Amino acid sequence: MANFLATILGNPEFPSIREVNVRSGPAITRELLFKIPLGAKSLVKACATDADGSAKTGKLYAWLHLDFQDGRTGWVRDDLIEVEGDGAEFGYGFVPQRQQAFKLVRTVVIDTPVTPPDPAATPVTPTPVVIVPPVTPPTPDTIATASAAITMGRDGVNVRRGPGTSHEAVTRFPHRTRCEILGAKPEDNRASRFKWVQVRANNTSGWVREDYLRYEGDVSGFGLAFADAYPSPIQNSFWVRDWNTDPNYTAIHYGWDLGAATGEPIFAGPGGGLVIQVNRCTLCTPDRPSVLQNGLRLNDPGVLQNPAWGYGYGNYVVVRYLYDLLPASTKAELARRNLPNYHLFTIYAHLNTIEVSQGQTVEPNQRIATCGNSGNSEAAHLHLEIRAWNNAAETITGRMISNRMDPVVLFRR
């Protein structure tokens, strides 16, 4: 079965409805089997055009036959679902980022048949749902004192009276202000998943959210970063966007965005690696590298499904970091996620120039590319994304989307 994943979206026009109907066949006239809550995930088993010919704005609905993680199966209409991954078997091609299925172009003309289960077959135990909490570095016996935080907001960062945006700003530290770290704690009322860091500079102290800081020295005692983690791959940068998979918080984003000037060097990790993919965007020209400069909108499904746009990543490189060479803290986190001995495949995207070739072994800290604005991008930045896989020889990262993870597992901000 293809690794084509579905997430229950619901009807955006009726946000108060928190469940969708799952039916016995591909039409609303089919028997209602059960209801499934928004956010539920499944594998796609089959796809079929609406059996009753129902349509919206002239486009026929499709229905996806879903295999949910609790073992139940059934059909859900495509406007109620977001999909991602390898959908070629079902006519969708490769969908690198989660998209509403109804908005995608489906080219298949013969619907995928559904093979009924063999009642005599041995039942399959469904894979349990594993909820992975945010990475929390272990607390050592003593807190290191030789550490500092560097502010990474392009236009500076607000320094607040308490740990959260509900507290007023007491001042604003400029970009790359070096601060003493006084402490760290979760946001008041745990309004977001981020910690807040109490810092001091220029005789002023206050709280800054952790993703707007880059750290020097050992800050593991504050729970902010692993001491042995890889440094940021782009040094002269500013913070743009974090990893996020909670649609109630902000838009889904499967990596980090680090802003920088076009041409800023990008470096491989200190353990060295192997280049397994190099993609040069054929629709990205030197004078118009991004979709916006070509009159297209951001996150256009036609761009995200198009290999000529690098599926939205523009110019990108994928470097594999072998498990044996990973930091001890990264190995421990992989074990905690039940991914022992998995290798990490790191995507460096929206590049300006690429300075390595596919199959090349990269030395520790080797320069591999420069920062750019190619593909589905609105300004020069590096998109950093990590996927884990247990086959070191794998070269198709689309098979790894179920194992995407926050880059904090390997990198410092």
Side-chain angles (χ1 to χ4, degrees):
M1 181 183 295
N3 189 11
F4 197 41
L5 308 181
T7 302
I8 299 299
L9 168 68
N11 190 333
E13 297 178 4
F14 299 97
S16 61
I17 299 176
R18 309 303 296 172
E19 295 179 315
V20 303
N21 294 329
V22 182
R23 299 188 178 275
S24 61
I28 61 171
T29 55
R30 300 300 192 265
E31 178 188 0
L32 173 62
L33 299 177
F34 55 91
K35 293 180 179 288
I36 199 76
L38 305 192
K41 298 183 182 300
S42 69
L43 283 173
V44 178
K45 298 177 64 178
C47 184
T49 303
D50 192 287
D52 295 338
S54 296
K56 179 181 180 181
T57 61
K59 181 182 179 182
L60 287 173
Y61 289 113
W63 288 71
L64 279 69
H65 194 227
L66 304 181
D67 185 1
F68 293 99
Q69 292 174 317
D70 61 6
R72 295 183 293 177
T73 64
W75 293 84
V76 179
R77 205 169 63 188
D78 63 346
D79 61 323
L80 306 175
I81 303 168
E82 291 181 317
V83 293
E84 58 185 326
D86 183 3
E89 177 182 342
F90 311 106
Y92 292 100
F94 176 61
V95 184
Q97 298 182 30
R98 193 187 300 175
Q99 297 284 313
Q100 185 185 34
F102 181 77
K103 294 181 179 179
L104 300 176
V105 177
R106 180 170 175 252
T107 58
V108 72
V109 294
I110 301 177
D111 291 324
T112 309
V114 180
T115 303
D118 181 356
T122 303
V124 178
T125 303
T127 303
V129 178
V130 178
I131 301 176
V132 180
V135 177
T136 303
T139 303
D141 295 333
T142 60
I143 292 179
T145 56
S147 57
I150 312 299
T151 58
M152 296 304 296
R154 180 179 187 177
D155 300 316
V157 298
N158 285 328
V159 182
R160 299 184 179 275
R161 291 193 186 280
T165 54
S166 60
H167 297 275
E168 67 175 337
V170 296
T171 189
R172 191 171 179 86
F173 287 164
H175 178 54
R176 298 194 69 83
T177 298
R178 192 174 191 277
C179 309
E180 177 188 1
I181 300 176
L182 304 177
K185 62 183 296 187
E187 183 165 344
D188 282 353
N189 302 318
R190 297 187 180 272
S192 81
R193 65 185 180 84
F194 293 108
K195 290 187 179 71
W196 283 71
V197 185
Q198 189 178 27
V199 297
R200 180 167 56 205
N202 304 322
N203 298 317
T204 302
S205 63
W207 296 82
V208 177
R209 205 173 71 181
E210 64 173 327
D211 54 325
Y212 283 99
L213 298 170
R214 178 174 288 173
Y215 306 110
E216 293 182 351
D218 184 359
V219 296
S220 58
F222 297 104
L224 298 174
F226 296 114
D228 58 352
Y230 282 7
S232 172
I234 183 168
Q235 289 303 303
N236 295 319
S237 63
F238 54 90
W239 188 252
V240 176
R241 196 175 179 194
D242 205 286
W243 160 276
N244 175 63
T245 57
D246 181 1
N248 295 317
Y249 176 59
T250 186
I252 296 293
H253 189 241
Y254 294 108
W256 291 351
D257 284 350
L258 300 167
T262 297
E264 187 66 32
I266 296 169
F267 299 94
L274 179 72
V275 179
I276 66 151
Q277 278 188 35
V278 169
N279 181 83
R280 288 181 168 84
C281 171
T282 58
L283 292 178
C284 305
T285 61
D287 58 329
R288 292 189 297 174
S290 77
V291 294
L292 294 179
Q293 294 164 328
N294 284 272
L296 301 172
R297 61 184 177 87
L298 287 174
N299 301 316
D300 186 322
V303 171
L304 302 182
Q305 290 181 274
N306 191 343
W309 278 112
Y311 302 105
Y313 290 108
N315 299 317
Y316 68 87
V317 169
V318 182
V319 177
R320 183 206 65 200
Y321 296 114
L322 285 174
Y323 174 83
D324 289 345
L325 300 178
L326 295 175
S329 61
T330 302
K331 293 179 179 179
E333 181 59 23
L334 289 171
R336 189 183 70 81
R337 296 179 184 225
N338 198 29
L339 300 173
N341 301 309
Y342 274 55
H343 315 284
L344 295 187
F345 294 74
T346 301
I347 302 172
Y348 302 84
H350 306 304
L351 305 174
N352 180 42
T353 61
I354 296 173
E355 301 176 5
V356 291
S357 57
Q358 186 166 326
Q360 178 180 343
T361 298
V362 294
E363 300 300 322
N365 305 310
Q366 179 178 332
R367 175 168 160 158
I368 59 173
T370 61
C371 183
N373 182 33
S374 60
N376 187 55
S377 174
E378 57 184 328
H381 74 287
L382 168 67
H383 174 80
L384 185 67
E385 186 172 323
I386 289 181
R387 304 180 183 190
W389 203 244
N390 58 354
N391 179 8
E394 182 60 75
T395 59
I396 302 175
T397 54
R399 295 175 178 170
M400 310 174 190
I401 60 173
S402 59
N403 292 333
R404 287 183 292 206
M405 57 185 61
D406 189 332
V408 76
V409 71
L410 179 61
F411 291 95
R412 288 183 170 223
R413 299 178 194 280

